[in-house]
Amino acid sequence: MVLVRSSIFLLLLNLLQGSDASFIQLNNNGYEGIIIAISPGVPENEMLIEKIKDMVTAASTYLFEATERRFFFKNVSILIPDTWKEKPEYKRPKHESYTHTDVLVAPPTLPDRDEPYTNQFEPCGEKGKYIHLTPDFVLGKKENEYGPAGRLLVHEWAHLRWGVFDEYNDNEPFYSASSKRIEATRCSSGITGMNRVYKCQGNSCVFDRCKTDPKTKLYEKNCQFFPDKDQTEEISIMFMQSITSVVKFCNEKNHNREAPNLQNKMCESRSTWEVISNSEDFKNTIPMVESPPSPIFSLLRIRDRTVCLVLDKSGSMQGERLNRMNQAAKYFLLQAIENGTWVGMVHFDSSASIKSELIQIISTSERNQLLNSLPTAAGGGTSICAGIDVAFQVIRKTYSQIDGSEIVLLTDGEDSSARNCLDKVKGSGAIIHFIALGPSADKAVIEMSNVTGGMHLFASDIAQNNGLIDAFGALTSGNADISQKSIQIESKGLTLMNGLWMNGTVIIDSTVGKDTFFLITWVRQQPIIFLLDPNGTPMKNFTMDAASKMAYFSVPGTAKVGVWTYSLQAKENSETLTITVNSRAANSSVPPITVNAKMNKDTNSFPSPMIVYAEILQGYTPIIGASVTAFIESNSGKTEVLELFDNGAGADTFKDDGVYSRYFTAYSENGRYSLKVRAHGGANTATRNLRLPSNRAMYIPGWVVDGKIEGNPPRPESNEDTQPNLESFTRTAIGSAFVVSNIPTHPLPDLYPPSQITDLEATTDGDMINLTWTAPGDNFDVGKVKQYIIRISESILDLRDKFDDALQVNTTDLLPNEANSKETFTFKPENISEENATHIFIAIQSMDNSSLTSKISNIAQVALFIPQGDADEIDPNPNPGISISSLVLIVVGCVVLVSIILSVTIYILNKKKNSSRSRTAF
């Protein structure tokens, strides 16, 4: 599968980074701060802006009525790329950027795949990341397939804002209902329609009756549910908002708990309205009496990036810290910052001074000029506000407004006066990126980065963890095209004794290779450096910077694809060496493989658990089968290592969606923590997942109109779910820092139960039931549980609400495996009144060695009967070339013909009988 050129314009590939928090706020029932961004990959088309306005306006009215007059869209910013022409009505963005986008209008994930979807990978009730809409959808070219844009936006908004899930399931489109019939997976079950197989060959399409699969006892794979065009049912928006009568979400009274959809699975069979009603939005509002005003739109166009470095040179920065800061800043200026960026520099201690006015980086000359402005000595106090004030002066000398400009603030000390300039920072329109060096860096500045949409990054004093260089490397542009952005391939460090070697390899895959940059640092004495390309050719042109204790090498042109080998020999005892490797996309028409990392929260209080997320993509296509490891470092430099999984179990919401997850509970101390993720894709393991996104909009297969199906063209599908294995690759990524508080100093008790089982599946084999699930751990998804408690019931509600009263299955022979292993168990149900029961519902609870129990698993079900198929006997379109009147004439003709044949037969038989009698008389 060839990845189209337009997919290179992927500006939301860093949406997983911790600075991606949405700016949406709810004010007097109205949502403010919504950002809808148009990708540079979209050709300039003013009609697109008008259609976005129409879509949001229609969505606001639909949302207001659907939420019982509670929510509407108040104001929306439309972010226009710098590839579009400048116009007077286009304003300069402030904190708005592609990084914080709520709705992205961009080319489809793959050609002809225009399905809208929401990037959603957290548990039920948690916000999604962004909505992806294609230009053709917004322009109304896909309304037949997906319905009106405004209504669909509300469907996706429910994913994004309230964390609900779809009430259909393309993987399980039918199920065995308690009515003992095969039903389409939907909510409400009051939605009427027909089940048919839609076959097309060339320009000819026919509808065939659905046949039952003898193995599943349900309809065959290609059977689809075609809803009636005219309905009276008002629910549900999370099933099919395109039905004209549907204007509400399912609630507790009318929710279909039997249907095997994601809403039931992920939200413990709760209706969408129950989840919405439990949200903070709902709790903080009351229904409105008056109708809401129409949305207000702001048109914002991306401008050149402007960055001012504000570097701490106070007394606490003396010695090794100052040198490490200079190493990282040089790396940022030489490699990480994009061409075309305007960069200035300010130093501060108890006061601040300008070291470089804004310079636009065009070539190496400007980069070297900025390198010469870095501090060479440290001393004095710490005045963060002074540094920020002078940075504002630097920016205003070139721009009258500082809206959207970025300040990279690095400090290692506390400053009690830092909060004094917080309001000024908030009102400035600038974005503050905060790099905290060491355990004492001021915590008040965190709020500056949070409210302005900047990143909060942390680096400990443990040099071998390479945290400061990683932090600067993470500060690539939130608005730059991905082909321009520096991608970190490797980041490692090691402390060695004299004469020992740090050996390793770096994989350069074919999606990167341009501007490939190797950086080596040391603490005491320059090491011996060997670097070999994949052909074994040594690289000898390292630039040695003895003053900053670093050496670097830029590969000319495009680096050779393959395994690069390095060997670094320490020349001093307790020598700390690090290696950092970055590169850019090799080809502007092929998106590079990227890895992005984040925690689910920026602040946390013990003992609440946290979740680590890492997303691997090529363009918008998930990369699955990779090996992903998270390194979480505390204030003091202690590092916890976690293997992340994309298995749809434990902390991971969806299997094979390219998002790798794991719970984190190994808190060691209060304070800041940093996150680094390393991903490796082996040549025989990693693949692209071409399946449709899990939270995609429903494709309308067609409508039943006056008893006849009017079909849409079949939904575009990939020939295969995955492509052939990728080549080997490696990536590292940095997430924003997070802060944990209230950790006790005494030994911690066992507070964490096993994680909830979310992938329980049940099948029948004769009178036996086979169960499969992924094993949880003693502490969420780490370790091994003590035992499983399996219970069954004839009522799904009783099993959910009264689990301890349900019939328990004998699990004496079931010995738990390590977390994330596959578990299987087979049993024969007993004490079930089959003459009355229609289903057996099954759930599992896990227990650890401290007798802590998990949440009840998702509920699996098996039918105790063979469900009946459709009762209707009239095929809606048995032959497109034959009309109903022709069918009637054929039937009448056949009856007449049969009557004639019977009459003739009787006549002949009677005649023979009479003839026989005459002969007998002789």
Side-chain angles (χ1 to χ4, degrees):
M1 175 68 71
V2 176
L3 294 167
V4 294
R5 178 182 177 85
S6 60
S7 65
I8 190 65
F9 296 101
L10 302 170
L11 298 178
L12 292 189
L13 290 177
N14 58 347
L15 274 178
L16 266 179
Q17 294 179 5
S19 63
D20 68 345
S22 172
F23 286 128
I24 296 174
Q25 292 184 337
L26 185 61
N27 183 11
N28 294 328
N29 297 81
Y31 288 109
E32 299 179 332
I34 301 167
I35 301 174
I36 299 179
I38 302 172
S39 166
V42 177
E44 185 167 359
N45 182 352
E46 290 188 41
M47 182 58 66
L48 192 59
I49 295 175
E50 296 307 311
K51 287 294 186 180
I52 290 173
K53 293 179 179 179
D54 293 343
M55 174 182 68
V56 174
T57 302
S60 183
T61 301
Y62 188 57
L63 176 69
F64 184 67
E65 297 301 330
T67 56
E68 299 178 355
R69 305 180 67 84
R70 196 175 289 267
F71 304 120
F72 66 98
F73 297 136
K74 183 177 285 187
N75 64 57
V76 176
S77 296
I78 300 176
L79 204 57
I80 298 166
D82 58 4
T83 53
W84 289 29
K85 294 176 184 176
E86 179 65 276
K87 292 195 172 183
E89 60 267 31
Y90 296 166
K91 306 303 180 185
R92 186 181 182 92
K94 292 186 178 180
H95 305 147
E96 301 88 353
S97 72
Y98 285 94
T99 304
H100 303 280
T101 295
D102 304 299
V103 181
L104 172 66
V105 180
T109 55
L110 291 170
D112 300 320
R113 294 265 287 266
D114 282 277
E115 64 275 356
Y117 70 90
T118 300
N119 188 314
Q120 179 185 15
F121 51 80
E122 296 201 30
C124 179
E126 298 294 331
K127 294 179 177 65
K129 294 304 158 189
Y130 65 91
I131 298 168
H132 183 155
L133 306 177
T134 68
D136 279 356
F137 170 80
V138 175
L139 291 169
K141 298 179 182 180
K142 299 296 177 180
E143 186 166 335
N144 288 339
E145 293 87 343
Y146 297 104
R151 282 175 166 245
L152 188 137
L153 180 60
V154 172
H155 176 103
E156 299 302 328
W157 182 264
H159 286 306
L160 180 75
R161 188 67 186 177
W162 303 310
V164 299
F165 293 86
D166 290 323
E167 292 171 336
Y168 43 84
N169 188 341
D170 288 341
N171 296 322
E172 296 181 65
F174 296 95
Y175 68 99
S176 301
S178 57
S179 62
K180 297 192 175 183
R181 297 193 57 79
I182 301 175
E183 292 284 358
T185 301
R186 64 198 191 281
C187 190
S188 125
S189 55
I191 298 291
T192 59
M194 289 183 176
N195 303 320
R196 291 293 184 269
V197 174
Y198 187 28
K199 296 180 179 179
C200 291
Q201 186 171 2
N203 295 323
S204 177
C205 297
V206 296
F207 297 94
D208 290 338
R209 185 175 302 284
C210 296
K211 297 177 182 178
T212 303
D213 187 318
K215 184 176 180 180
T216 65
K217 304 299 189 295
L218 298 174
Y219 288 134
E220 59 191 328
K221 180 179 179 181
N222 295 327
C223 183
Q224 298 181 81
F225 174 71
F226 292 84
D228 291 327
K229 182 74 171 179
D230 295 324
Q231 305 267 355
T232 58
E233 184 61 75
E234 293 184 326
I235 55 175
S236 168
I237 288 171
M238 297 313 293
F239 172 65
M240 203 170 188
Q241 77 291 329
S242 53
I243 296 174
T244 304
S245 64
V246 170
V247 292
K248 296 180 179 179
F249 294 96
C250 271
N251 59 38
E252 188 175 8
K253 295 180 179 178
N254 49 41
H255 178 56
N256 180 7
R257 291 175 174 82
E258 291 186 338
N261 56 45
L262 281 176
Q263 176 62 25
N264 280 331
K265 177 183 176 182
M266 304 304 300
C267 299
E268 300 173 329
S269 298
R270 290 179 295 158
S271 67
T272 53
W273 190 246
E274 288 176 84
V275 176
I276 294 169
S277 300
N278 196 46
S279 68
E280 290 301 315
D281 288 355
F282 194 93
K283 293 175 182 178
N284 293 327
T285 55
I286 59 173
M288 294 173 59
V289 176
E290 301 293 331
S291 296
S294 297
I296 297 172
F297 297 94
S298 302
L299 304 182
L300 309 175
R301 184 179 176 274
I302 298 299
R303 301 297 199 276
D304 289 340
R305 188 184 187 194
T306 303
V307 178
C308 187
L309 298 179
V310 179
L311 305 178
D312 186 349
K313 68 174 190 67
S314 62
S316 57
M317 288 291 293
Q318 288 180 350
E320 190 54 40
R321 281 185 176 176
L322 184 68
N323 189 62
R324 288 181 60 212
M325 180 184 73
N326 283 343
Q327 289 175 344
K330 287 185 176 182
Y331 160 69
F332 176 74
L333 295 169
L334 287 167
Q335 171 67 17
I337 198 75
E338 301 83 9
N339 275 338
T341 305
W342 291 82
V343 181
M345 190 181 300
V346 170
H347 299 172
F348 73 95
D349 41 44
S350 54
S351 61
S353 58
I354 299 172
K355 294 302 175 181
S356 174
E357 303 289 357
L358 289 182
I359 301 172
Q360 188 173 30
I361 295 179
I362 305 297
S363 65
T364 304
S365 174
E366 293 82 18
R367 296 179 187 269
N368 289 332
Q369 183 178 342
L370 287 161
L371 294 183
N372 294 329
S373 301
L374 290 168
T376 56
T382 303
S383 178
I384 291 171
C385 288
I388 292 174
D389 280 340
V390 173
F392 287 166
Q393 296 174 27
V394 170
I395 297 167
R396 285 197 179 101
K397 287 182 179 179
T398 303
Y399 296 102
S400 59
Q401 291 181 317
I402 58 177
D403 290 351
S405 58
E406 300 171 56
I407 291 176
V408 176
L409 171 65
L410 182 144
T411 181
D412 73 335
E414 295 184 8
D415 177 7
S416 59
S417 65
R419 192 164 290 278
N420 295 341
C421 57
L422 180 58
D423 288 340
K424 185 175 184 178
V425 168
K426 286 181 180 178
S428 69
I431 299 166
I432 306 294
H433 301 296
F434 174 34
I435 301 176
L437 176 56
S440 300
D442 199 277
K443 294 180 176 62
V445 188
I446 297 175
E447 190 174 350
M448 291 186 188
S449 62
N450 287 340
V451 298
T452 64
M455 293 192 74
H456 167 215
L457 300 160
F458 164 66
S460 75
D461 284 318
I462 308 300
Q464 74 176 45
N465 291 340
N466 213 24
L468 199 52
I469 286 174
D470 291 338
F472 269 97
L475 295 174
T476 55
S477 171
N479 294 321
D481 181 85
I482 190 62
S483 65
Q484 301 171 19
K485 295 172 73 168
S486 181
I487 297 168
Q488 194 171 66
I489 307 299
E490 188 58 275
S491 170
K492 283 185 178 180
L494 198 62
T495 298
L496 302 166
M497 300 304 290
N498 185 17
L500 295 182
W501 292 82
M502 177 178 170
N503 300 312
T505 59
V506 175
I507 299 172
I508 302 297
D509 60 275
S510 63
T511 71
V512 292
K514 184 180 178 182
D515 296 336
T516 302
F517 184 83
F518 288 80
L519 172 66
I520 312 294
T521 72
W522 58 91
V523 173
R524 300 177 184 276
Q525 183 177 343
Q526 177 182 317
I528 295 176
I529 301 172
F530 291 103
L531 175 65
L532 306 178
D533 73 6
N535 295 334
T537 304
M539 304 291 106
K540 299 181 179 180
N541 296 323
F542 272 86
T543 298
M544 297 297 175
D545 185 346
S548 296
K549 300 177 181 178
M550 58 188 286
Y552 52 90
F553 171 69
S554 293
V555 179
T558 301
K560 288 185 173 66
V561 172
V563 178
W564 292 63
T565 305
Y566 64 85
S567 295
L568 313 176
Q569 187 182 27
K571 304 304 290 183
E572 291 276 353
N573 285 328
S574 298
E575 178 65 276
T576 298
L577 305 178
T578 73
I579 181 169
T580 308
V581 183
N582 281 64
S583 191
R584 285 183 167 85
N587 189 328
S588 61
S589 64
V590 179
I593 295 170
T594 58
V595 178
N596 306 289
K598 68 166 284 182
M599 304 297 295
N600 66 323
K601 296 182 242 181
D602 293 327
T603 59
N604 192 44
S605 178
F606 179 84
S608 177
M610 298 188 72
I611 300 176
V612 190
Y613 294 108
E615 185 174 33
I616 310 179
L617 299 169
Q618 184 178 13
Y620 293 106
T621 305
I623 303 299
I624 62 176
S627 174
V628 183
T629 306
F631 302 86
I632 300 173
E633 184 184 5
S634 71
N635 253 334
S636 63
K638 181 180 179 182
T639 301
E640 296 289 338
V641 181
L642 275 177
E643 184 180 3
L644 308 185
F645 298 102
D646 185 15
N647 58 1
D652 195 61
T653 303
F654 295 111
K655 182 178 181 179
D656 291 341
D657 66 344
V659 178
Y660 299 71
S661 317
R662 198 76 182 273
Y663 284 105
F664 174 64
T665 59
Y667 309 121
S668 57
E669 59 187 292
N670 290 310
R672 287 187 180 91
Y673 289 74
S674 67
L675 168 66
K676 177 190 286 190
V677 164
R678 180 174 292 120
H680 173 251
N684 297 315
T685 57
T687 57
R688 300 180 186 92
N689 187 347
L690 301 182
R691 288 181 298 179
L692 296 165
S694 299
N695 283 308
R696 61 191 177 273
M698 175 182 280
Y699 185 91
I700 303 169
W703 299 101
V704 179
V705 180
D706 296 328
K708 184 177 179 180
I709 296 177
E710 297 178 355
N712 278 327
R715 184 178 201 158
E717 301 283 354
S718 298
N719 293 329
E720 298 178 359
D721 285 344
T722 58
Q723 290 186 320
N725 292 341
L726 293 170
E727 59 195 307
S728 295
F729 69 90
T730 57
R731 297 287 188 274
T732 61
I734 309 304
S736 281
F738 61 98
V739 178
V740 181
S741 59
N742 297 323
I743 300 174
T745 55
H746 53 76
L748 304 180
D750 184 359
L751 299 173
Y752 302 112
S755 58
Q756 181 186 25
I757 295 168
T758 58
D759 61 348
L760 176 64
E761 295 183 357
T763 57
T764 57
D765 184 6
D767 58 355
M768 305 298 288
I769 295 178
N770 301 318
L771 302 179
T772 61
W773 68 95
T774 301
D778 178 76
N779 293 328
F780 289 110
D781 52 13
V782 176
K784 184 193 297 186
V785 301
K786 179 182 179 181
Q787 70 176 102
Y788 293 115
I789 302 167
I790 302 177
R791 295 185 184 274
I792 61 176
S793 176
E794 300 168 25
S795 166
I796 188 172
L797 294 182
D798 285 348
L799 190 61
R800 188 190 75 173
D801 301 332
K802 303 174 184 177
F803 180 80
D804 291 339
D805 296 334
L807 183 65
Q808 186 168 350
V809 176
N810 185 348
T811 57
T812 304
D813 297 331
L814 178 55
L815 300 177
N817 291 316
E818 285 289 331
N820 297 296
S821 302
K822 205 67 182 175
E823 299 276 30
T824 60
F825 181 66
T826 301
F827 70 98
K828 181 178 180 180
E830 298 177 353
N831 300 322
I832 295 292
S833 54
E834 292 193 27
E835 64 276 7
N836 296 321
T838 60
H839 290 77
I840 294 176
F841 297 97
I842 308 153
I844 302 180
Q845 190 176 56
S846 309
M847 180 182 293
D848 67 11
N849 289 314
S850 299
S851 297
L852 299 175
T853 55
S854 68
K855 290 183 178 180
I856 309 302
S857 71
N858 66 293
I859 297 176
Q861 66 182 64
V862 292
L864 299 177
F865 57 90
I866 298 177
Q868 301 175 21
D870 287 342
D872 61 294
E873 295 293 334
I874 300 176
D875 198 321
N877 192 1
N879 189 331
I882 302 176
S883 66
I884 294 177
S885 58
S886 299
L887 286 174
V888 172
L889 290 174
I890 290 172
V891 172
V892 172
C894 289
V895 172
V896 171
L897 180 60
V898 169
S899 299
I900 293 171
I901 292 172
L902 286 173
S903 298
V904 172
T905 302
I906 293 171
Y907 172 78
I908 293 171
L909 290 174
N910 287 335
K911 186 173 182 180
K912 287 183 178 181
K913 184 176 181 182
N914 292 335
S915 174
S916 174
R917 287 176 179 174
S918 301
R919 283 195 293 271
T920 304
F922 278 109

